Amino acid sequence: MADSSGQDQDVVYFALYRYTPSIPAAVVFAVVFCVLSIFHIYRLVRHRTFFFVPFVIGLVFEAAGYIARIFSHFDTQALGPYITQTMLILVAPPLFAASIYMTLGRLIVRLDAESASLIRVRWLTKIFVVGDVISFILQCGGGGYMAAGTLEAMENGEHIVIAGLAIQLLFFGFFILVAAVFHTRVRHSISMISVRSHSGRFSWPGLMWTLYLACALILVRSVFRVVEFVQGNDGFIMRREYLLYIFDALLMALTGIALGFVFPGSFLDDHGNDEDEDDGDEDEERKRGLAERATSV
């Protein structure tokens, strides 16, 4: 009987939460993401840069996810708020990534430097967005599978989420390589081409470095979530709520802040920067030559 009792104590069970979700932490980040959503909506509408819509949707998902965690505080066994916060917080970064992919494609076209890119612009956005969609679907599917509520469904759902996160890391890592190669090839060759934000405070290299920062933040967050799900429901990370806020909520908030401060739409909108077009004819030949030389770097 003693041995049997000891074995029972070692049984690992699936729990929705290994802690009671914090209301103050959830409220703080729900407010932060709500404010960021409103700010990005304002900038998106102002510059009419609708390729940034996925990023805004991601911010809204983040806000809704942390609101759901507030409800979980009052009932840690309620499946609805748990699945809602799990899915929305998981799938927000792939939406951020989709807008980042489209930003690079539009910047390459604006610089007239497609020859410096490893992938033709017409394929660049499609390839990475398709990878993003696959990752998005798998993570949503994994979260949805967990909604069945059984132990087997919870565990299988975690495995599907891990697969989605792994695909996201693979495509995102390749995207960073493509962006870095492009930047290296053109940063000296076309430094004289004027592509600046509307305020004039930032030039296109500043936008590139902001994209790198956003990519690094998303990459660290994604690695964290992979480790979290690989460890399992009873793992070190799942038992410590503060790690979620440090390595997910905070990093994604910083991503929203960075791309709000250096907003891609202020460089790549459909109606701005008309002053650059006035000098387009006389600079066109020079730009082509510089872009072609960039491929030899």
Side-chain angles (χ1 to χ4, degrees):
M1 293 294 293
D3 292 339
S4 175
S5 176
Q7 290 176 355
D8 290 341
Q9 292 177 359
D10 293 335
V11 172
V12 176
Y13 63 94
F14 194 103
L16 298 184
Y17 294 99
R18 297 288 175 169
Y19 48 76
T20 300
S22 166
I23 288 182
V27 168
V28 166
F29 279 98
V31 170
V32 167
F33 284 112
C34 281
V35 171
L36 285 172
S37 298
I38 294 170
F39 179 64
H40 276 270
I41 289 172
Y42 164 74
R43 302 213 70 180
L44 183 152
V45 172
R46 179 186 176 189
H47 296 289
R48 293 186 293 183
T49 47
F50 297 108
F51 70 90
F52 225 66
V53 167
F55 196 94
V56 174
I57 294 174
L59 290 172
V60 172
F61 278 10
E62 292 277 8
Y66 288 103
I67 291 172
R69 287 182 71 86
I70 296 173
F71 288 96
S72 286
H73 171 86
F74 299 102
D75 186 356
T76 58
Q77 299 304 312
L79 193 59
Y82 172 78
I83 294 299
T84 299
Q85 67 89 26
T86 297
M87 290 183 63
L88 294 182
I89 295 174
L90 268 178
V91 303
L95 293 170
F96 296 163
S99 286
I100 290 173
Y101 298 151
M102 289 185 277
T103 295
L104 180 62
R106 281 162 173 74
L107 180 60
I108 292 173
V109 171
R110 188 64 194 275
L111 291 171
D112 192 24
E114 184 174 6
S115 59
S117 176
L118 286 175
I119 303 174
R120 292 181 63 85
V121 172
R122 63 176 297 185
W123 294 109
L124 185 147
T125 300
K126 292 177 182 178
I127 290 172
F128 290 111
V129 169
V130 166
D132 217 39
V133 169
I134 294 173
S135 170
F136 182 91
I137 291 173
L138 286 174
Q139 291 180 62
C140 282
Y145 202 95
M146 293 168 70
T150 65
L151 177 60
E152 181 182 7
M154 292 291 187
E155 292 177 343
N156 289 338
E158 284 188 341
H159 296 156
I160 296 172
V161 168
I162 291 172
L165 287 167
I167 290 174
Q168 180 183 332
L169 281 173
L170 178 65
F171 276 86
F172 210 63
F174 183 46
F175 171 78
I176 293 173
L177 173 64
V178 170
V181 169
F182 168 76
H183 191 190
T184 300
R185 287 177 172 178
V186 301
R187 61 183 176 181
H188 298 302
S189 299
I190 58 175
S191 58
M192 293 179 64
I193 295 177
S194 178
V195 176
R196 304 186 67 86
S197 62
H198 283 182
S199 65
R201 288 183 298 172
F202 304 106
S203 61
W204 71 266
L207 175 59
M208 285 297 302
W209 286 110
T210 304
L211 292 181
Y212 290 145
L213 173 60
C215 288
L217 292 171
I218 295 174
L219 200 61
V220 171
R221 173 264 176 196
S222 297
V223 170
F224 164 76
R225 295 313 294 256
V226 168
V227 173
E228 176 188 23
F229 280 97
V230 167
Q231 286 184 349
N233 179 258
D234 193 43
F236 180 87
I237 293 176
M238 288 283 192
R239 289 184 172 274
R240 291 159 177 83
E241 184 181 20
Y242 68 89
L243 292 176
L244 171 71
Y245 286 101
I246 293 174
F247 292 103
D248 195 321
L250 178 60
L251 298 187
M252 294 305 93
L254 290 174
T255 301
I257 292 170
L259 288 174
F261 184 65
V262 185
F263 185 62
S266 66
F267 297 81
L268 306 170
D269 63 350
D270 295 330
H271 67 286
N273 295 305
D274 292 333
E275 65 276 9
D276 293 334
E277 296 177 5
D278 296 336
D279 299 325
D281 292 338
E282 65 184 56
D283 288 342
E284 198 65 31
E285 186 175 346
R286 175 174 59 86
K287 286 162 62 176
R288 287 199 195 94
L290 290 171
E292 289 173 2
R293 289 201 298 274
T295 58
S296 63
V297 175

